[in-house]
Amino acid sequence: SALTRGMSVTIDPVAFWDRVNRLREAWQAERAPDGLWKGADAVVIVTGSANEDVLYSKSGALHTWLLGYEFTDTIFVFASRAVHVLTSSKKVGLMEPLRSAKNATVPLELLVHDKADNSANYAKLIEAVKSSHAGKCIGSLGK
């Protein structure tokens, strides 16, 4: 990927926020128990390490749609009042300008992956889920 080959990477903030808003609107419109998101109070998208044996990944496709690139080892939490991202410090640096974009509609909380102990970051993500709507049901992408 461009991230691992040292290429210059920039994320289009207008496209990012437009697509985040489209995803959030679709989720909010279909949150009912009988809707597409089956009552999800938050949407969690996890992308693990790069795997060349996997030809297609829904989470990777979502990253590419949102960011223009696949961010491996990254967790997105789409909550009712914010978007939370846990990823490497390099990727946080790439996403930092998105926080102050003119078309940002909700706070973007960026957490840096702690290789020694990520428990504090996980606690923040769990709290984000618990404080989103009823905080009981998580939506994710099926395989």
Side-chain angles (χ1 to χ4, degrees):
S1 80
L3 296 173
T4 58
R5 290 192 301 264
M7 297 171 61
S8 176
V9 173
T10 56
I11 301 167
D12 180 344
V14 173
F16 174 79
W17 283 109
D18 178 59
R19 291 170 180 170
V20 164
N21 291 332
R22 288 170 53 193
L23 176 63
R24 288 174 46 83
E25 288 167 6
W27 161 50
Q28 297 295 337
E30 291 289 334
R31 270 194 64 241
D34 61 344
L36 177 67
W37 289 97
K38 305 289 186 215
D41 295 314
V43 176
V44 179
I45 309 298
V46 179
T47 304
S49 300
N51 182 347
E52 298 201 8
D53 293 334
V54 176
L55 298 176
Y56 176 77
S57 157
K58 290 179 185 172
S59 58
L62 182 66
H63 285 205
T64 302
W65 182 64
L66 290 173
L67 304 164
Y69 307 91
E70 181 177 3
F71 277 20
T72 56
D73 299 318
T74 299
I75 300 173
F76 272 87
V77 175
F78 297 92
S80 59
R81 293 180 293 277
V83 176
H84 306 263
V85 182
L86 172 61
T87 193
S88 71
S89 60
K90 180 178 180 179
K91 294 171 193 157
V92 163
L94 294 171
M95 295 184 74
E96 188 66 39
L98 301 174
R99 295 176 72 173
S100 59
K102 290 186 183 345
N103 63 329
T105 54
V106 294
L108 177 62
E109 302 297 332
L110 301 172
L111 304 171
V112 176
H113 177 75
D114 183 341
K115 292 179 182 170
D117 181 8
N118 232 4
S119 58
N121 285 327
Y122 291 141
K124 290 176 184 174
L125 294 179
I126 290 167
E127 186 55 38
V129 169
K130 286 182 176 179
S131 66
S132 181
H133 298 295
K136 300 192 182 301
C137 183
I138 296 173
S140 65
L141 300 175
K143 296 229 175 223

